[in-house]
Amino acid sequence: MMNSELLATCSALGYLEGDIYHKEPDCLESVKDLIRYLKYEDETRDVRQQLGAAQILQGDLLPILIQHRQDKPLFDAVIRLMVNLTQPALLCFGKVPQDPSFRHHFLQVLSHLQAYKEAFANEKIFGVLSETLYELLQLGWEERQEEDNLLIERILLLVRNILHVPADHDQEKSVDDEASIHDRLLWAVHLSGLDDLMLFLASSTAEQQWSLHVLEIVSLMFRDQNPEQLAVAGQARSAREQGADVAELEILRQRETAEKKSRALQRSSRHSRFGGSYVIQGLKSIGDRDVVFHKSLHNFQTYSPDVGKATRYVPRRRQLAQEPSLQRRSALNVRLFLRDFCSEFLENCYNRLMGLVKDHLLREKAQQHDETYYLWALAFFMTFNRASNFRPGLVSETLSVRTFHFIEQNLTNYYEMMLTDKKEAVSWGRRMHLALKAYQELLATVNKMDTSEDEAVRESSRIIKNNVFYIMEYRELFLTLFRKFDETRQPRSYLRDLVETTHLFLKMLERFCRSRGNLMVQNKRRRRKKKKVHTQSPASAGNVPQPPEDPEGVWPALAEQLKLCAQNSELTLDSVVPFDAASEVPVEEQRTEAMVRIQDSLLAGQAPEALTLLRSAREVWPEGDIFGSPDFSLEEEIELLRQIFCAPLPRQQEPEEQGGEEEEGEEEEEEEEELQAVQVLEKEFNFLDYLRRFACSAVVKAYVLLLQNYQKNSPHTNHCVVKMLHRLAHDLKMEALLFQISLFYLFNRLFNDPASGAYKELVTFARYVLAKFFALTEVNHKAFVELLFWKNTAVVREMTEGYGSLDAQSSNQKPAKWNPEEEKQLQELYLSHKDIEGEDVIDAILARLNTTTHSRKQVIHQLVRLGLADSVKDFKRQRKGTNLVLWTEDQELELQRLFEEFQDSDDILGHIMKNITAKRSRARIVEKLLSLGLVADRRELYKKRRRKAVTPNLLNRKDPLKDPDQEDLEEEEEEDQLLEENSEEDEEGPGAEADQGTSVHIPQSLRQILQEEDFSAPILWLQNYLIRIADDREEDGCSQAVPLVPLTEENEDAMENQDFQKLLRKLGIRPPASEQETFWRVPAKLSPALLRRAAASLGQAGPEPQSADHPEQASRKEKVPGSPVAAKKRKIDLEAAEGEAGKEPSSSGPQKLQLLDSDGEQEESESKNKDLIDSEPGSPEPRRIHKKRRFLIEDEDD
């Protein structure tokens, strides 16, 4: 019953006499009162229900809207009231109520909205709205008032609300090609010209603020429309469509004929009044007797013990997701109007409107879930463009890699929200389906571009595919969607689109791989690494040193340290910042904290840090001379530090200090916590490896679930399913993955289907799988039992290759158990090796265990389980070059004894390393021998070489049994081995930051080859290039890899020559690391001094000056182009480079690696610049050139 106040207010609106509506004097106030009543209605929406039951909108508001349009205040109020009344029911109630009483109110409001929609299907109503909207849009921005903008927005919202009302299919019961209420509404919109206004709003640059409203109205206009059918509306049906209809009718006819035959066979020739009773042998009833069947025999096939029983209740959370509204075919005139609207929208509005909407979405100017309209418009209009007259330029705004990224982001977000927001999982599933359809249409459009006649279009398609296939997330998307498919949240239509999209993606990827030959893709893998433990300064939280009991007694020692530190020239202020830039406390207010940090450094005994902090704080806070004046002497600074050291400074108590022991335990856990860092790599793509990712039970389940409806599926859907299963069974040789009873039951249904002839592809595949299964049963009799379970690849391998074929490391097998003998042996080995220093106890145990089935991890866990160790952390693998183990007194005595024993041998260091008990690196032993004073110079530890008799082969610097290339290869291997040994020294010792490069020895054979091939100009270019890089690195103070860019044709030819590339490798220049690099690069680790040494060594690789001792060589060198002036200039440059390389500081600097040339027994010569030892003048012996041996040693800076 209607409320009395509402009844009085509605009566004061006016009355309708014939076709003329007479308004009352208080009509405007009554409309405002109704708006006020709606504002304060209760949660059951009682006012809305009463107004709908009284048909106020149909009987009063619409006549006022049509006949009293000139009354602007009344018109505005009526529009405002109708916008409120037509508000969607979901917005009124928030969601579909689950409570029966509230659900009843929800349905009542929905029924009133459907009545409003039918009343609005009038050309006059939309004519008034379109005329008003047209007049408002004619106003310029300077003439348009705020009320005009509000009226435009309310008209658009009113049209949106009316179009949003869902159809009542039970009441309408309309079929295809019949005009529904929605069709009549669209036709009224078309006749009123409102559709042209929508196109104007979408294309006008001055009306950008209405873009989201326009897109929402357009999406509601095309509700339940199929874009492919709309694109061919009004055209003659093609032969393909007619053939599809004939095939569908033939399937129906075959099934009907088969049903008639079965009924004719079941019907007896003579009618029997008695149905008869039969006993079903082998089928027990409730007792021990067989079941008695009381019906005719032809009904026995439909017999089920569940007949007559109450249907089992399925919980709501287990019910299948409902399918969305079905698509229908509207009346022909409506379809033609919508087709023309789509064509004009694509040509004039699509690119601009979609760009604006996406900008609003990215800038978060839109409302929540407005991106769904964008995704719908993308899928609908791109499908229409592809089906009608494909023109990629019309949809260029959404045809890019950025659109793929946007859709993938939304799809992933919907997927995550569906898993977390359980109550709204169905809604998130619908949005996920919408994003998937947009992704599918993007792929279909890119695939269509490959068939274009325009070369530019095909090239654009190739670029898009290259970018999409390169990114790992795009390839892994379908695997994730399949593995997390849930039929209670996602309908079968979603699964159908997912299968078809996956089929299209795989087909495009396979074709792209075949055309490219090899495809490099991005690959991300998670690398497990230990969390680094950063050493904190004493001033850090939680490490506050305790003040001494007698500060004055401790201060003299600190004062001496401060004096020594002040004399050190390396004390800089750049590395210390006295304030925290990330703190919320302003810098001006952090002076007290800086004072506390200085005191903490003094309490910890770190005098250099305290002095540096004081001077840095003085520069930051010079006002007031709180940290001293810039003119302070050293004694005044020390006195100021003494006052800070003894002062009782205020400290902030941190809340973490309350739980001391718990915090320490948590810190230890955080230090040992293993983090997963994502490492981005590139690898060559293998299509079969990618296809193997789909070989899992979750994917096969989804495909079989969709195949169960093969009769209702389209032929294309069935083809997509069969193609994927064929890829798994035939291409990957995993037929056993499909050996499942549910799939075999489906095959049986298919064979018994009267219309199975229409599914030839499916029948052929079923026979193939069954043939493979029965062939396997002859070998494996357990295959019948395996039909009951879904299988993974490991089970498939065991089924086909034999059970137990997987190794012990398989994920399906448990680790081997420890027997008592193994445990006893493990205990004995651990006790005997745990105290040996320098040896990994676990490696020693694994090397001596009688069994090889236990891994390192299993051994460690067993030791903890037996109580021999406290934690797994006690057995961390020692990393190479990270532990600095101190020498014990016994080890020093042993080293001294070994040195005295082998000091007369040819290889002192080698013999010591072989016989020493505690194994250490070569660099550690050399350092200890120097520190003990056993040797004065490292050169005393060099391996001594025996001088061999000089032969003519040695004169030519060739081994008669080796060719120069083999000799160079051996020398390179020797050099690499020495470099590896010294790299450990660099990691261990304090010189880890030193330059890793070395000066280079160029083999004589390589020099001769370079001279013969005339590489004088490229070598000179390379020398100048290295010197220029060295100068740049000295000026900038930093270094980075610099490419070698040849600018002349001669230099380009040299860079492609193998011998010249050998020279580059000798110099430490690295080749291109990947396909994305083109040029060779000078590594960043090469210091300026080393670059100059490399440039100096190149002087010996170039053409040498003419020598009278070798006339044949001189005559050959005369052919080398280049003037003596250029050679002299090059010699001067090289001498200058060698001089700069030799200038190094003597007091400081890290240790550097150096390659030196030794001449056998000529070690008594301390010269570093001579490589060849000539015989004395006048000696009858010919000039002897000894074969050079290279040693990598560690030398102090001169």
Side-chain angles (χ1 to χ4, degrees):
M1 184 176 180
M2 194 172 185
N3 185 278
S4 58
E5 295 182 359
L6 278 177
L7 182 60
T9 305
C10 294
S11 301
L13 289 173
Y15 60 93
L16 186 64
E17 186 178 2
D19 294 336
I20 301 175
Y21 188 86
H22 301 276
K23 66 176 182 177
E24 297 289 343
D26 297 333
C27 181
L28 178 60
E29 298 300 327
S30 299
V31 173
K32 293 181 179 179
D33 290 339
L34 290 176
I35 295 174
R36 192 177 302 110
Y37 290 147
L38 286 172
K39 184 178 181 180
Y40 296 105
E41 64 181 350
D42 60 6
E43 57 185 6
T44 62
R45 306 294 183 248
D46 55 340
V47 176
R48 197 175 302 271
Q49 293 187 50
Q50 294 179 35
L51 294 178
Q55 297 185 356
I56 296 299
L57 186 139
Q58 297 93 319
D60 295 282
L61 299 182
L62 288 180
I64 292 174
L65 183 73
I66 297 173
Q67 300 181 19
H68 298 278
R69 175 172 166 255
Q70 294 77 15
D71 192 350
K72 193 173 186 308
L74 180 61
F75 184 83
D76 293 348
V78 169
I79 291 291
R80 182 181 174 188
L81 177 59
M82 286 195 297
V83 169
N84 199 337
L85 281 176
T86 57
Q87 187 177 357
L90 282 174
L91 290 180
C92 296
F93 290 87
K95 61 178 181 179
V96 180
Q98 302 297 331
D99 184 75
S101 60
F102 279 94
R103 191 177 183 85
H104 171 72
H105 297 307
F106 175 82
L107 294 176
Q108 285 293 328
V109 172
L110 186 60
S111 63
H112 296 322
L113 288 175
Q114 291 170 350
Y116 297 160
K117 184 174 183 178
E118 186 175 2
F120 263 89
N122 188 348
E123 178 187 351
K124 295 181 180 179
I125 298 173
F126 282 101
V128 172
L129 295 177
S130 61
E131 289 177 7
T132 306
L133 187 60
Y134 176 76
E135 293 175 358
L136 294 174
L137 294 177
Q138 289 295 324
L139 299 175
W141 65 270
E142 67 279 357
E143 301 176 359
R144 194 179 299 176
Q145 303 296 325
E146 185 64 26
E147 294 80 6
D148 299 332
N149 287 329
L150 286 176
L151 185 56
I152 292 175
E153 185 175 7
R154 285 168 183 163
I155 291 176
L156 295 177
L157 288 177
L158 179 61
V159 176
R160 189 277 312 267
N161 291 345
I162 294 300
L163 291 172
H164 187 273
V165 177
D168 189 359
H169 298 288
D170 296 335
Q171 184 179 359
E172 292 186 20
K173 296 181 180 179
S174 58
V175 296
D176 288 345
D177 296 328
E178 183 181 357
S180 61
I181 296 177
H182 192 75
D183 292 341
R184 287 190 277 135
L185 194 70
L186 292 177
W187 189 247
V189 168
H190 175 58
L191 294 179
S192 64
L194 189 61
D195 55 338
D196 295 331
L197 292 178
M198 293 297 107
L199 292 173
F200 169 76
L201 288 174
S203 59
S204 175
T205 56
E207 308 295 341
Q208 296 182 4
Q209 65 268 33
W210 316 118
S211 57
L212 282 170
H213 293 285
V214 173
L215 184 62
E216 192 173 358
I217 291 174
V218 170
S219 66
L220 294 172
M221 286 174 59
F222 290 92
R223 171 188 286 178
D224 302 336
Q225 298 292 334
N226 189 333
E228 295 180 349
Q229 294 180 359
L230 207 61
V232 296
Q235 301 178 5
R237 304 191 64 193
S238 61
R240 181 179 179 182
E241 294 176 348
Q242 295 178 1
D245 292 343
V246 171
E248 185 176 357
L249 290 175
E250 182 64 23
I251 292 174
L252 295 176
R253 190 188 65 81
Q254 290 177 1
R255 287 178 181 160
E256 184 180 7
T257 304
E259 290 178 0
K260 288 181 179 180
K261 288 182 180 181
S262 63
R263 286 197 299 268
L265 293 175
Q266 292 172 2
R267 190 183 306 115
S268 60
S269 59
R270 179 180 178 184
H271 176 68
S272 175
R273 294 180 179 270
F274 306 100
S277 298
Y278 304 93
V279 176
I280 305 176
Q281 294 182 356
L283 185 60
K284 300 296 181 181
S285 61
I286 297 177
D288 294 335
R289 298 182 179 181
D290 295 335
V291 174
V292 179
F293 186 66
H294 296 283
K295 293 184 179 181
S296 303
L297 284 177
H298 66 274
N299 294 325
F300 174 68
Q301 293 183 354
T302 60
Y303 169 77
S304 173
D306 297 330
V307 175
K309 296 181 181 179
T311 57
R312 187 176 181 181
Y313 173 73
V314 180
R316 187 182 302 274
R317 59 187 178 86
R318 294 183 181 178
Q319 293 178 1
L320 300 181
Q322 296 181 357
E323 293 288 342
S325 58
L326 300 177
Q327 295 179 347
R328 61 178 300 275
R329 193 166 59 240
S330 301
L332 180 59
N333 57 344
V334 176
R335 281 186 286 142
L336 293 176
F337 141 64
L338 293 177
R339 183 197 63 185
D340 297 339
F341 182 89
C342 281
S343 301
E344 294 182 11
F345 185 84
L346 279 172
E347 291 182 2
N348 304 316
C349 312
Y350 179 83
N351 287 332
R352 181 188 167 278
L353 182 65
M354 296 297 281
L356 286 175
V357 171
K358 188 174 181 181
D359 182 69
H360 290 334
L361 294 174
L362 295 178
R363 297 177 182 271
E364 298 182 354
K365 296 181 180 180
Q367 296 180 358
Q368 192 178 14
H369 307 316
D370 275 351
E371 71 277 359
T372 55
Y373 296 107
Y374 177 85
L375 296 174
W376 173 89
L378 187 148
F380 187 90
F381 288 105
M382 291 186 74
T383 305
F384 181 87
N385 179 50
R386 181 171 53 85
S388 58
N389 186 13
F390 182 64
R391 294 164 60 187
L394 299 181
V395 292
S396 60
E397 175 62 33
T398 55
L399 197 59
S400 62
V401 181
R402 294 191 303 272
T403 310
F404 276 96
H405 176 67
F406 179 78
I407 296 177
E408 189 268 338
Q409 274 189 328
N410 283 277
L411 195 58
T412 307
N413 181 41
Y414 296 153
Y415 159 73
E416 293 175 352
M417 292 302 298
M418 187 185 68
L419 297 181
T420 55
D421 191 1
K422 303 288 185 179
K423 295 182 179 180
E424 298 296 330
V426 177
S427 300
W428 290 111
R430 293 197 190 102
R431 299 185 186 104
M432 193 174 173
H433 189 188
L434 204 57
L436 179 64
K437 289 182 70 66
Y439 198 87
Q440 178 185 11
E441 184 51 42
L442 267 180
L443 290 175
T445 303
V446 173
N447 187 42
K448 182 78 172 177
M449 291 170 64
D450 287 339
T451 61
S452 175
E453 298 179 356
D454 191 355
E455 178 64 27
V457 174
R458 294 198 300 270
E459 180 64 19
S460 301
S461 171
R462 187 192 64 80
I463 294 174
I464 293 175
K465 288 190 295 183
N466 193 15
N467 287 290
V468 170
F469 296 151
Y470 177 79
I471 302 299
M472 179 180 177
E473 284 76 10
Y474 298 143
R475 303 193 307 272
E476 300 295 323
L477 179 64
F478 300 103
L479 286 167
T480 305
L481 297 180
F482 269 119
R483 289 171 179 170
K484 297 300 181 181
F485 172 74
D486 187 0
E487 57 181 340
T488 61
R489 301 172 182 176
Q490 297 159 323
R492 294 289 178 89
S493 57
Y494 166 83
L495 180 59
R496 181 188 66 246
D497 290 332
L498 178 58
V499 168
E500 293 179 358
T501 309
T502 306
H503 171 77
L504 177 61
F505 184 82
L506 289 176
K507 184 174 68 174
M508 293 172 61
L509 182 57
E510 185 178 18
R511 188 187 307 141
F512 191 75
C513 292
R514 290 177 179 174
S515 62
R516 288 287 300 271
N518 61 335
L519 175 65
M520 299 301 295
V521 297
Q522 184 189 77
N523 184 37
K524 295 181 180 180
R525 67 179 183 184
R526 295 190 177 274
R527 182 183 59 186
R528 302 177 68 89
K529 65 176 184 180
K530 296 287 186 181
K531 187 175 181 179
K532 295 182 180 179
V533 184
H534 299 282
T535 57
Q536 298 181 344
S537 61
S540 61
N543 294 329
V544 180
Q546 297 296 329
E549 297 179 357
D550 185 13
E552 297 296 338
V554 181
W555 178 251
L558 287 174
E560 292 297 329
Q561 293 185 20
L562 290 171
K563 291 179 181 179
L564 293 176
C565 294
Q567 297 174 1
N568 188 3
S569 60
E570 294 183 355
L571 193 64
T572 60
L573 307 181
D574 299 336
S575 60
V576 179
V577 180
F579 61 89
D580 186 6
S583 176
E584 297 180 358
V585 182
V587 178
E588 292 77 10
E589 301 178 8
Q590 296 188 27
R591 288 179 292 187
T592 306
E593 297 180 4
M595 195 81 71
V596 172
R597 290 180 59 187
I598 295 173
Q599 187 184 53
D600 292 339
S601 300
L602 292 172
L603 292 174
Q606 297 183 359
E609 184 176 354
L611 184 59
T612 308
L613 275 172
L614 178 68
R615 294 178 178 177
S616 300
R618 182 187 305 159
E619 293 184 358
V620 177
W621 297 288
E623 61 276 359
D625 293 342
I626 298 176
F627 297 96
S629 173
D631 301 331
F632 266 22
S633 62
L634 178 61
E635 289 74 13
E636 292 174 332
E637 286 182 340
I638 293 176
E639 178 62 25
L640 180 59
L641 288 172
R642 188 188 67 80
Q643 296 176 7
I644 296 175
F645 178 70
C646 301
L649 298 178
R651 298 179 180 272
Q652 295 181 358
Q653 298 294 332
E654 298 187 0
E656 286 110 339
E657 294 179 358
Q658 298 176 359
E661 296 181 357
E662 296 179 0
E663 183 182 87
E664 291 178 0
E666 291 176 359
E667 288 179 355
E668 290 178 1
E669 292 178 1
E670 289 179 356
E671 291 173 3
E672 302 300 332
E673 180 185 3
E674 291 186 351
L675 301 179
Q676 287 188 348
V678 178
Q679 187 179 9
V680 181
L681 304 172
E682 277 192 352
K683 69 173 186 178
E684 186 174 353
F685 181 76
N686 190 325
F687 181 76
L688 289 181
D689 291 343
Y690 175 69
L691 194 60
R692 288 188 184 92
R693 305 286 304 278
F694 290 88
C696 61
S697 58
V699 177
V700 178
K701 280 182 186 178
Y703 275 88
V704 173
L705 182 64
L706 183 60
L707 193 60
Q708 289 177 356
N709 295 332
Y710 73 94
Q711 296 178 350
K712 299 180 181 179
N713 294 338
S714 65
H716 178 66
T717 304
N718 288 333
H719 168 72
C720 295
V721 175
V722 175
K723 181 63 177 178
M724 173 56 80
L725 298 181
H726 181 266
R727 289 181 187 273
L728 299 179
H730 181 268
D731 297 350
L732 300 182
K733 308 299 181 183
M734 292 187 182
E735 302 89 355
L737 198 65
L738 307 180
F739 295 165
Q740 221 282 331
I741 192 66
S742 59
L743 184 59
F744 282 16
Y745 177 76
L746 177 62
F747 289 161
N748 187 44
R749 263 180 51 202
L750 176 65
F751 293 150
N752 294 329
D753 191 348
S756 59
Y759 311 103
K760 295 181 180 179
E761 186 179 25
L762 187 54
V763 171
T764 304
F765 178 73
R767 289 174 178 170
Y768 169 78
V769 173
L770 291 174
K772 292 291 184 180
F773 171 74
F774 290 118
L776 179 63
T777 56
E778 297 179 358
V779 181
N780 183 7
H781 300 292
K782 298 179 181 179
F784 294 101
V785 183
E786 296 283 2
L787 286 174
L788 302 175
F789 308 99
W790 294 99
K791 289 162 282 294
N792 54 20
T793 53
V795 177
V796 167
R797 179 179 171 184
E798 284 197 333
M799 285 180 61
T800 54
E801 299 180 7
Y803 295 98
S805 58
L806 297 179
D807 54 357
Q809 302 295 331
S810 176
S811 59
N812 293 344
Q813 294 184 0
K814 296 182 179 180
K817 294 183 179 180
W818 292 79
N819 53 40
E821 292 79 7
E822 292 176 347
E823 291 182 353
K824 183 178 179 181
Q825 185 188 11
L826 176 64
Q827 186 174 2
E828 294 175 353
L829 290 174
Y830 175 73
L831 294 176
S832 60
H833 290 84
K834 69 175 183 176
D835 296 328
I836 299 179
E837 186 177 356
E839 181 182 26
D840 188 19
V841 61
I842 304 299
D843 291 341
I845 292 174
L846 289 173
R848 293 167 176 81
L849 272 178
N850 294 334
T851 178
T852 59
T853 58
H854 298 296
S855 63
R856 176 185 179 89
K857 186 176 180 181
Q858 295 171 4
V859 170
I860 294 174
H861 282 285
Q862 187 65 19
L863 290 173
V864 176
R865 194 176 297 112
L866 293 176
L868 299 175
D870 298 332
S871 174
V872 178
K873 301 174 184 178
D874 299 338
F875 301 101
K876 291 182 180 178
R877 189 184 293 274
Q878 299 293 332
R879 291 195 177 182
K880 204 171 186 181
T882 56
N883 280 347
L884 301 178
V885 183
L886 298 178
W887 289 76
T888 63
E889 185 177 357
D890 296 337
Q891 292 173 351
E892 291 180 355
L893 293 175
E894 181 188 10
L895 179 62
Q896 186 175 1
R897 179 183 57 82
L898 291 174
F899 175 76
E900 293 174 354
E901 181 181 352
F902 299 109
Q903 63 179 350
D904 298 330
S905 63
D906 294 339
D907 189 5
I908 304 174
L909 198 57
H911 287 89
I912 291 176
M913 293 186 65
K914 289 179 182 179
N915 294 277
I916 196 168
T917 304
K919 300 301 181 182
R920 298 176 186 270
S921 65
R922 183 187 299 266
R924 288 282 168 259
I925 297 176
V926 171
E927 287 180 359
K928 197 62 182 176
L929 291 173
L930 289 171
S931 64
L932 293 176
L934 298 177
V935 292
D937 193 358
R938 297 172 183 270
R939 296 182 180 86
E940 299 178 16
L941 300 175
Y942 291 169
K943 187 175 181 180
K944 298 180 178 60
R945 303 290 181 179
R946 297 288 185 185
R947 175 178 292 186
K948 298 180 181 180
V950 179
T951 62
N953 290 324
L954 286 178
L955 292 176
N956 298 328
R957 303 188 60 85
K958 292 185 180 180
D959 193 335
L961 301 179
K962 295 182 181 179
D963 58 346
D965 295 338
Q966 181 68 20
E967 180 181 348
D968 293 343
L969 182 61
E970 292 179 358
E971 291 180 352
E972 290 178 5
E973 292 177 354
E974 181 183 357
E975 180 182 351
D976 294 340
Q977 182 178 2
L978 293 171
L979 281 171
E980 289 178 2
E981 293 178 356
N982 277 269
S983 64
E984 299 177 6
E985 174 186 353
D986 292 339
E987 293 177 0
E988 296 171 0
E993 299 116 5
D995 297 324
Q996 301 278 332
T998 60
S999 62
V1000 180
H1001 164 74
I1002 303 175
Q1004 183 66 20
S1005 58
L1006 182 58
R1007 294 180 185 177
Q1008 294 178 0
I1009 293 175
L1010 294 175
Q1011 293 171 5
E1012 292 173 358
E1013 297 186 5
D1014 189 12
F1015 282 127
S1016 57
I1019 290 176
L1020 179 60
W1021 163 72
L1022 185 59
Q1023 291 173 357
N1024 298 331
Y1025 207 93
L1026 294 178
I1027 295 173
R1028 188 162 58 250
I1029 294 174
D1031 296 339
D1032 294 340
R1033 290 184 177 179
E1034 281 186 346
E1035 293 177 1
D1036 300 340
C1038 59
S1039 60
Q1040 58 182 357
V1042 180
L1044 281 177
V1045 184
L1047 300 179
T1048 62
E1049 185 176 357
E1050 185 178 6
N1051 294 342
E1052 288 182 2
D1053 296 340
M1055 293 294 292
E1056 296 176 359
N1057 187 278
Q1058 294 183 356
D1059 297 321
F1060 196 80
Q1061 290 178 0
K1062 288 182 182 179
L1063 175 65
L1064 295 178
R1065 288 191 176 92
K1066 289 285 184 181
L1067 297 176
I1069 303 174
R1070 67 173 177 85
S1074 61
E1075 293 182 352
Q1076 298 180 355
E1077 292 184 359
T1078 306
F1079 303 106
W1080 289 63
R1081 278 170 166 74
V1082 180
K1085 64 182 180 180
L1086 296 182
S1087 65
L1090 293 174
L1091 289 174
R1092 290 192 174 92
R1093 291 176 190 170
S1097 64
L1098 283 175
Q1100 303 171 6
E1104 298 179 356
Q1106 295 182 6
S1107 174
D1109 297 336
H1110 301 275
E1112 69 280 1
Q1113 194 174 10
S1115 61
R1116 177 176 54 84
K1117 290 182 178 180
E1118 289 178 357
K1119 302 177 183 179
V1120 178
S1123 62
V1125 178
K1128 182 178 181 181
K1129 181 179 182 299
R1130 181 164 64 255
K1131 182 177 181 182
I1132 294 174
D1133 292 340
L1134 293 180
E1135 291 176 355
E1138 291 177 357
E1140 293 180 4
K1143 296 179 182 179
E1144 294 182 5
S1146 59
S1147 60
S1148 63
Q1151 297 175 342
K1152 298 184 178 180
L1153 299 177
Q1154 187 177 5
L1155 274 173
L1156 300 179
D1157 293 333
S1158 177
D1159 294 328
E1161 296 180 355
Q1162 300 295 328
E1163 294 181 0
E1164 64 274 11
S1165 175
E1166 299 294 333
S1167 176
K1168 298 181 180 179
N1169 299 324
K1170 291 184 178 182
D1171 294 327
L1172 303 177
I1173 300 178
D1174 301 335
S1175 59
E1176 297 181 359
S1179 175
E1181 296 183 3
R1183 184 189 182 198
R1184 295 184 296 178
I1185 304 175
H1186 299 286
K1187 183 177 180 181
K1188 295 186 293 182
R1189 298 288 184 180
R1190 291 169 295 158
F1191 294 91
L1192 186 64
I1193 66 171
E1194 187 176 44
D1195 198 2
E1196 297 291 343
D1197 293 332
D1198 296 333

